[in-house]
Amino acid sequence: MRRLPVADPGPPDARSASRFLSWLVRRSRMTIVTAIVLAVAWMGCQSLVPAMVGRAIDAAAEERAPALVGWGLALFVAGVAQALTGISRHRYSVYNWLGASFRTVQVTVRQAIRLGSSLPRRLEAGEVVAIGTADITHIGGAVDVASRGTGALLAVTTVTLILLHTSVPLGLVVLIGVPALMLVVSGLIRPLHRRQQAYREQQGRLTGQAADLVTGLRVLRGVGGEAVMVARYRAQSQALRAAGVRTATVESLLEAAQVLLPGTFLVLVTWLGARFAADRQITVGQLVSFYAYAAFLVAPLRQLTESIDKVTRGHVSARRVVKMLKLSRDVPARAAAERPPGELADPESGVRVGTGRLTAIVTEDPADAARIADRLGGYEPGGMLGETPLEELPLAYVRGRILVAENDARLFSGHLRADLDPERGGRLAQALEAAAAQDIVDGLPRGLDSVVAERGRSFSGGQQQRLRLVRALVADPEILILVEPTNAVDAHTEARIAERIRAVRAGRTTLVCTSSPLVLGHTDRVLYLEDGRVVAAGTHHELLDSEPRYARAVLRQERP
């Protein structure tokens, strides 16, 4: 068996769940065909065994020793073939299941990387988590069940033909009864999957809310909102539990039907066979064969109903994957003939960032500053570099030249040195000094070689903020945009950081979104915005003297 490829190209056309599943099947077509052939052989051997047993019994009853030996050898060969094909089929089925699951992981992770910062705006965290946990399992199961479903269908067909050849009434019972069973089970599967989809959506929303609660727990405790959010989460959790119970009710009916209906079918076929044997319409060996066939049919019938269930589940999950694959970036990347020089600007707000200077923007609403940073960083349309819109420049060029350091960026788990300076550029010591973060490193047991906990949980909010600033300064981009880089540190540390950022970024373009007077006092130029538009510009001290609205914003004064 060949190994799964490390990287796989994404689906060429992901407009529908059916096409996505078809693409997965095409990617593993050789192993799927092999699994189907093995499943057909495996179930075919099983379906012939009862007939051989019946013939052997009839040979023994008629004292035909050579025939008895022949049928015994045939049974031995069928048993060996069944064992070998069954083992091989299972291995290929597992391979197909893993292949489909991990190819889904590959394309979704690649899509997440391509979307970048657009992903949180387009899809909730709970949806992404659910795709990576439950959905890939269902999609893998849908691809895997193809072999077993095909084998089960062939087995039922073979048994029907054998029974029709031996007894037309018994063959007709199987021929009519199997589709009837499928119709009953299919009628239960449809409402089951409707409830499963509703449950899945509620679960995704609750997972996202849980992630938000964990992230903002300190803030909630600080403002006294912990009890309110816990009560809200508890209520939604109970609603999810009720939806789970409703889903389980239908699922239990389906499981019961998968046992009851084939069992009833088994009793009917056995009863009819016994009546025919009593009337001497069939032999004792044929009666044994009929009973064995009736017992044997339970397995392929359950596999057929399971196939319908898994294919439906896989189709529902594939729809959610396709929904993610259809998402596009906020700013489409296009190639540009040239890489133009010029100032970074946001025409919508009137912000222009002077080249080689330290500029600050102060907004009445902090959300306006975040939106401007997104546009200037090329994460949303509207930013300009010189006379060229950022969305018309190659994405790699924009990312290599402009860095937006947001306040909600995460620290990665692993060694601190690798987190702060992954490329070992030699600027780490200077960045630690500029961000006043050397004391954090000195307090760790192994310094820069210490292991950072997931999301930097072992650091306080102020320490995380300073380490994020270190990482941004180490990158040393041509244009650096800092969003509230010091709002979680004390005033003394903030003053040191403001002074040192000016020194370390001398000659480079830097934009700071802040309302801190300690930082604003070290900037070259300050832009004050109201309602998302620049209404005043100048130095910090000039604006304090000439613009009362600016003074109220930065000095935290009450409106008259």
Side-chain angles (χ1 to χ4, degrees):
M1 293 172 62
R2 61 188 179 88
R3 297 174 58 191
L4 278 174
V6 175
D8 229 352
D13 188 353
R15 288 182 293 178
S16 68
S18 299
R19 293 192 179 188
F20 179 75
L21 290 174
S22 299
W23 173 78
L24 289 175
V25 170
R26 289 196 303 272
R27 296 300 300 175
S28 302
R29 56 185 176 273
M30 293 306 299
T31 55
I32 289 177
V33 169
T34 303
I36 290 175
V37 171
L38 290 170
V40 167
W42 174 58
M43 295 297 291
C45 290
Q46 292 186 62
S47 62
L48 294 176
V49 166
M52 294 179 183
V53 171
R55 294 296 182 90
I57 291 175
D58 286 341
E62 297 171 4
E63 299 182 354
R64 291 184 288 114
L68 177 61
V69 173
W71 286 115
L73 289 175
L75 279 171
F76 175 76
V77 172
V80 172
Q82 176 185 336
L84 294 177
T85 54
I87 293 171
S88 301
R89 179 211 60 82
H90 179 71
R91 181 177 179 182
Y92 275 92
S93 292
V94 172
Y95 179 90
N96 293 329
W97 177 72
L98 291 175
S101 299
F102 286 110
R103 282 195 178 93
T104 304
V105 171
Q106 286 175 342
V107 297
T108 51
V109 169
R110 188 178 294 113
Q111 173 71 348
I113 294 172
R114 189 180 70 85
L115 292 173
S117 63
S118 304
L119 181 59
R121 302 188 187 97
R122 302 297 185 86
L123 208 62
E124 294 182 359
E127 284 290 309
V128 180
V129 171
I131 287 174
T133 53
D135 288 339
I136 62 171
T137 302
H138 296 325
I139 290 172
V143 175
D144 154 52
V145 84
S147 60
R148 286 183 290 133
T150 305
L153 183 61
L154 176 72
V156 173
T157 303
T158 303
V159 170
T160 304
L161 293 176
I162 292 175
L163 292 180
L164 280 172
H165 180 265
T166 306
S167 173
V168 175
L170 286 176
L172 290 176
V173 168
V174 176
L175 190 63
I176 298 172
V178 170
L181 291 179
M182 295 299 100
L183 287 175
V184 173
V185 172
S186 299
L188 290 172
I189 286 177
R190 184 169 297 178
L192 171 63
H193 284 295
R194 282 200 299 266
R195 297 191 181 190
Q196 284 177 335
Q197 185 170 4
Y199 176 80
R200 159 70 170 69
E201 292 172 355
Q202 285 184 251
Q203 187 180 38
R205 289 193 296 269
L206 192 64
T207 302
Q209 185 178 356
D212 294 339
L213 283 173
V214 172
T215 303
L217 188 58
R218 292 181 179 178
V219 177
L220 287 173
R221 287 176 175 172
V223 300
E226 184 178 5
V228 175
M229 293 305 296
V230 167
R232 185 178 302 172
Y233 182 85
R234 183 181 293 113
Q236 294 187 7
S237 178
Q238 290 302 311
L240 180 64
R241 182 190 63 80
V245 171
R246 289 193 298 270
T247 303
T249 301
V250 181
E251 190 167 0
S252 63
L253 290 175
L254 177 62
E255 292 292 331
Q258 288 179 340
V259 175
L260 176 64
L261 296 179
T264 304
F265 188 72
L266 168 63
V267 172
L268 177 61
V269 172
T270 304
W271 180 76
L272 287 175
R275 290 287 304 274
F276 292 154
D279 295 339
R280 298 187 181 277
Q281 297 180 26
I282 59 176
T283 66
V284 175
Q286 289 174 334
L287 173 62
V288 173
S289 297
F290 287 157
Y291 177 79
Y293 275 128
F296 165 74
L297 281 174
V298 173
L301 288 176
R302 290 207 64 178
Q303 287 186 9
L304 285 175
T305 56
E306 181 186 1
S307 299
I308 297 173
D309 180 43
K310 286 193 172 184
V311 168
T312 308
R313 287 174 186 257
H315 198 270
V316 172
S317 296
R319 281 206 298 265
R320 288 190 283 266
V321 173
V322 168
K323 177 184 175 183
M324 179 181 177
L325 296 179
K326 285 182 177 180
L327 298 178
S328 59
R329 292 177 56 247
D330 292 329
V331 179
R334 290 182 289 178
E338 298 180 358
R339 299 178 177 182
E343 288 186 340
L344 186 65
D346 176 36
E348 183 177 336
S349 63
V351 170
R352 299 190 70 85
V353 184
T355 304
R357 303 180 70 187
L358 178 57
T359 306
I361 61 174
V362 179
T363 59
E364 187 179 34
D365 183 0
D368 290 338
R371 285 190 288 268
I372 293 170
D374 284 341
R375 292 196 293 267
L376 293 175
Y379 295 103
E380 291 186 2
M384 302 279 291
L385 190 59
E387 300 299 323
T388 306
L390 290 177
E391 56 264 32
E392 295 184 4
L393 295 171
L395 181 63
Y397 173 69
V398 175
R399 295 290 178 263
R401 191 172 181 184
I402 305 171
L403 172 63
V404 179
E406 296 180 329
N407 214 9
D408 58 354
R410 299 295 183 188
L411 295 174
F412 301 110
S413 57
H415 290 92
L416 182 60
R417 187 189 303 275
D419 198 346
L420 301 180
D421 188 12
E423 297 182 359
R424 303 294 177 93
R427 293 183 292 271
L428 182 55
Q430 183 184 22
L432 286 169
E433 180 67 20
Q438 187 61 50
D439 62 310
I440 302 175
V441 177
D442 294 339
L444 297 175
R446 298 180 58 190
L448 288 170
D449 294 324
S450 299
V451 176
V452 179
E454 184 183 2
R455 296 190 175 186
R457 291 194 307 265
S458 55
F459 299 113
S460 67
Q463 289 175 328
Q464 290 187 40
Q465 190 170 55
R466 283 185 282 164
L467 291 174
R468 288 194 293 266
L469 179 57
V470 170
R471 189 166 57 188
L473 295 175
V474 165
D476 194 30
E478 183 178 337
I479 302 173
L480 176 60
I481 302 173
L482 301 171
V483 181
E484 296 290 353
T486 60
N487 63 346
V489 301
D490 59 85
H492 177 67
T493 304
E494 188 176 24
R496 285 189 294 155
I497 292 174
E499 183 178 355
R500 294 171 184 177
I501 285 180
R502 180 180 179 85
V504 77
R505 292 289 299 171
R508 311 285 274 177
T509 303
T510 307
L511 175 67
V512 184
C513 303
T514 183
S515 59
S516 167
L518 295 174
V519 177
L520 295 170
H522 291 85
T523 59
D524 297 316
R525 189 165 183 260
V526 179
L527 306 174
Y528 176 64
L529 292 84
E530 282 191 348
D531 298 324
R533 295 286 304 174
V534 175
V535 295
T539 66
H540 172 59
H541 297 290
E542 289 173 351
L543 291 177
L544 283 177
D545 295 335
S546 62
E547 183 55 67
R549 295 171 296 179
Y550 174 80
R552 283 196 300 268
V554 300
L555 299 179
R556 315 297 198 271
Q557 295 176 348
E558 296 289 338
R559 289 182 179 271

